[in-house]
Amino acid sequence: MFASGGGQSTKDYADALAKSILFYDAQRSGKLPADNPIPWRGDSALDDCVVGGWYDAGDHVKFALPFGATTHLLVWSMNIFKDGYEQAGQMDEMVDCIKWALDYMLAAWNPTTKELVAQIGDGNDDHHFWGRAEDMTMDRPCMKIGPGGKGSDVAGEWAAAMAAAYIFFKDSDPTYATKLLTAAESLYAFGKANQGTYTQSVQGAAQFYSSSGWKDEMCEGAVWLYRATNNAQYLSDAKQFHEGAWAWALSWDDKKVACQLLLYEETQDSRYKTEVVGFMDGWLPGGQVTYTPCGLAWRDKWGANRYAGDTAFLALAAAEAGINTAKYRKWAIEQINFLLGDNNHDGGCFSYQIGYGTKYPVSPHHRSASCPDRPAPCSEANLHASGPSPQLLVGALVGGPDQSGNYKDDREDYVMNEVAIDYNSGFHSALAGIEHLIATDNLPPTNNKCACSGS
């Protein structure tokens, strides 16, 4: 059923994975640990209503939807590609990374008062500030979904992340795992009882991440809770929340194809497999998704690299489930290879992940990275300054090229040079999947159009 190996590593996927973890370290909010590996980051936002978590992007807001989506994909990869993290020598670092997110999620949900903190910081006020996270002085409102408030999208996604994390930690850290499962079940019940999107409940939340629906997230939560508890009601719920439409992409908003794949894994029902194949057919050459000249599956100008990385992870996960295994593995690895250098930008061998290889972006749209070491001042002048950012944002995946494959490394161009926790999540998880294939001698041959001979 599974493809044989025969392929050779053309990239240092373990190095890219290690660097991606460093990006998540750079996004940390709150009081940083003594072993903080990012020397230019310090304690910040210590007065938040919930301290900790990750800043969303180059800004300093903590948004529940991309936060939950990111955490879910990362934990999902830890469950199915555990040997990949071990192969890369990054399991301890990844456990530390994911606990930073999970601890925040546990603190943000109060099952007694039925209050969920869905956002910290006002997007407009925050985006008028250019400087270090450590130097913020603006108000950081605490936006909650209260009792009876709608928020199934956030509740379902967070429940999925925590239930999946329970499965990962139940043997190594059963006490922590139990906390996660208890929170996941109560949060899922809250979402089921208060059906709707959180942007219907939280004033000001729709400005930046407005959810298009909630059934897909509740489906994910239900499947992972079924896996965690073996309670058949959860599987029944997942089937009811399932939507048969093909997803536009796997993203912080749209998880229909994730729901479909998870349901196929649990039921082996061919209709779910058909939906996953239909989605992937739209992404493979000849489908609806455009390709750049060097072979990036280009879905949209906002985070083109992000969508390719997310779908690469989905393809590797589907391959593990026995769906078009050889085809999906090859395609996924070729997408990651493009991101890590199999392209013609800047003479070729250009990595869209900062710090990987010898050529990569040096001016991402990221405030803290644009600031010199303290106590030197930092302001909007640093946004407009020419030249590389004073700090190297190691591991971040930038938004990426336009439809024709053109890219400009310009801090002020936040379309091509935005970075975000969700931008890295699928890319990161796919790297773990490729390391899994290396560990199991199942790495297939690849054939990138603009293969780099220098990495």
Side-chain angles (χ1 to χ4, degrees):
M1 180 171 65
F2 290 157
S4 60
Q8 293 184 338
S9 296
T10 63
K11 302 286 180 283
D12 190 342
Y13 305 108
D15 181 57
L17 184 61
K19 286 179 165 59
S20 184
I21 293 173
L22 289 175
F23 167 65
Y24 285 107
D25 290 339
Q27 293 301 103
R28 285 180 169 182
S29 177
K31 185 168 182 58
L32 302 186
D35 61 354
N36 165 41
I38 313 298
W40 46 274
R41 282 300 325 283
D43 299 345
S44 62
L46 298 180
D47 294 325
D48 280 0
C49 60
V50 181
V51 176
W54 291 318
Y55 295 122
D56 180 60
D59 59 3
H60 301 128
V61 186
K62 294 185 284 193
F63 293 105
L65 270 177
F67 192 101
T70 296
T71 308
H72 174 222
L73 280 194
L74 295 177
V75 180
W76 188 355
S77 75
M78 292 171 74
N79 277 317
I80 59 175
F81 299 135
K82 181 179 179 180
D83 58 350
Y85 286 100
E86 292 168 343
Q87 171 77 19
Q90 293 299 311
M91 182 52 79
D92 288 346
E93 289 79 4
M94 190 60 205
V95 167
D96 182 61
C97 172
I98 206 66
K99 279 189 170 183
W100 193 266
L102 293 167
D103 288 350
Y104 174 80
M105 295 169 85
L106 287 170
W109 166 238
N110 188 327
T112 303
T113 62
K114 290 185 169 51
E115 288 183 313
L116 174 65
V117 175
Q119 182 174 320
I120 299 179
D122 179 270
N124 286 321
D125 288 348
D126 181 272
H127 288 191
H128 289 145
F129 166 78
W130 191 274
R132 303 177 186 88
E134 296 80 3
D135 297 338
M136 289 186 294
T137 59
M138 80 287 285
D139 290 337
R140 290 178 59 79
C142 186
M143 302 184 186
K144 299 180 181 180
I145 304 169
K150 300 182 186 302
S152 307
D153 45 0
V154 176
E157 188 77 9
W158 283 35
M162 290 191 286
Y166 161 79
I167 293 170
F168 180 83
F169 284 110
K170 65 180 180 179
D171 294 327
S172 62
D173 194 345
T175 300
Y176 187 62
T178 299
K179 288 182 182 178
L180 291 164
L181 181 58
T182 300
E185 290 204 274
S186 61
L187 189 51
Y188 175 85
F190 173 80
K192 187 177 178 181
N194 301 281
Q195 295 178 2
T197 64
Y198 91 109
T199 48
Q200 295 175 277
S201 299
V202 181
Q203 185 177 7
Q207 296 166 315
F208 297 92
Y209 291 98
S210 183
S211 180
S212 61
W214 55 267
K215 290 185 177 180
D216 48 348
E217 287 91 358
M218 287 295 288
C219 173
E220 289 179 318
V223 174
W224 281 109
L225 281 167
Y226 172 68
R227 291 178 172 180
T229 66
N230 206 32
N231 180 341
Q233 181 60 52
Y234 287 125
L235 184 58
S236 177
D237 285 358
K239 293 176 181 178
Q240 291 180 354
F241 292 132
H242 160 263
E243 299 167 276
W246 292 351
W248 180 81
L250 176 61
S251 71
W252 61 263
D253 177 31
D254 192 344
K255 291 96 173 187
K256 286 189 287 291
V257 69
C259 164
Q260 292 156 358
L261 177 57
L262 291 168
L263 276 172
Y264 175 68
E265 290 175 347
E266 291 307 316
T267 67
Q268 297 297 297
D269 189 323
S270 62
R271 67 172 170 150
Y272 302 127
K273 177 181 177 180
T274 298
E275 291 164 352
V276 174
V277 171
F279 171 81
M280 286 303 306
D281 282 349
W283 275 80
L284 294 172
Q288 293 80 44
V289 174
T290 300
Y291 278 72
T292 67
C294 281
L296 176 71
W298 194 93
R299 191 39 151 161
D300 189 70
K301 72 175 184 178
W302 296 101
N305 290 343
R306 168 257 310 267
Y307 290 120
D310 286 355
T311 309
F313 168 66
L314 191 282
L316 291 173
E320 291 300 303
I323 303 176
N324 292 330
T325 299
K327 182 195 297 186
Y328 289 178
R329 283 177 173 168
K330 178 178 183 292
W331 180 87
I333 297 169
E334 287 172 352
Q335 291 301 301
I336 299 303
N337 285 349
F338 174 97
L339 299 176
L340 292 178
D342 284 357
N343 58 71
N344 284 339
H345 181 70
D346 194 18
C349 299
F350 181 86
S351 167
Y352 285 100
Q353 184 192 35
I354 298 172
Y356 178 88
T358 59
K359 289 190 284 187
Y360 44 78
V362 293
S363 301
H365 187 78
H366 189 275
R367 297 176 195 162
S368 293
S370 78
C371 298
D373 291 339
R374 301 176 82 181
C378 187
S379 68
E380 191 169 338
N382 295 82
L383 165 64
H384 306 300
S386 60
S389 294
Q391 316 299 345
L392 191 66
L393 189 63
V394 173
L397 183 73
V398 299
D402 67 16
Q403 194 169 342
S404 299
N406 301 310
Y407 169 76
K408 185 178 180 182
D409 182 12
D410 179 354
R411 188 180 307 110
E412 295 188 68
D413 184 342
Y414 51 82
V415 178
M416 290 185 172
N417 295 289
E418 183 72 277
V419 296
I421 57 174
D422 76 292
Y423 278 27
N424 265 64
S425 60
F427 164 74
H428 175 118
S429 299
L431 290 168
I434 298 171
E435 283 293 302
H436 155 74
L437 297 179
I438 295 171
T440 57
D441 195 26
N442 279 306
L443 192 73
T446 53
N447 184 29
N448 279 76
K449 286 185 177 181
C450 304
C452 170
S453 60
S455 66

